Amino acid sequence: MGAMVGQAMKLTLLSRSYCSLCTRMLDALAPLQSEYGFTVDVVDVDDFPELVAQYDELVPVLLAADDKQICHWHLDEAAVRAYCRTI
């Protein structure tokens, strides 16, 4: 899930298909994507038992390229901006 030098920055959204908070977080990321040029890889946690074990009750979870958690449940715009400025 990590980004490498010379590639576009990529964040990962751990999501569920039936999760309205997940849809809201993805929608809220769109303006930041336009501003900072990152992509979002949406991963359904229910497809991966190890992700369910780790993140089940926290979904949606936004992960940085190094798999470090940026925020969960609701988008923390300040945290995303801070992360984007460090890349």
Side-chain angles (χ1 to χ4, degrees):
M1 284 189 253
M4 295 172 57
V5 175
Q7 293 182 335
M9 182 174 27
K10 181 173 72 172
L11 303 180
T12 301
L13 178 62
L14 301 179
S15 182
R16 287 193 160 102
S17 60
Y18 57 85
C19 171
S20 62
L21 284 178
C22 300
T23 302
R24 283 187 225 145
M25 186 179 286
L26 185 60
D27 290 345
L29 279 167
L32 294 170
Q33 278 184 274
S34 295
E35 184 175 344
Y36 291 100
F38 59 81
T39 60
V40 179
D41 186 18
V42 179
V43 176
D44 190 326
V45 295
D46 293 321
D47 291 340
F48 302 93
E50 65 278 10
L51 293 179
V52 172
Q54 186 171 1
Y55 296 108
D56 188 34
E57 296 299 319
L58 297 177
V59 171
V61 179
L62 185 63
L63 300 176
D66 60 1
D67 293 339
K68 181 179 177 189
Q69 183 177 310
I70 297 174
C71 57
H72 66 271
W73 294 330
H74 303 284
L75 183 66
D76 183 340
E77 189 174 320
V80 174
R81 286 180 184 281
Y83 173 74
C84 290
R85 287 185 195 119
T86 66
I87 299 303

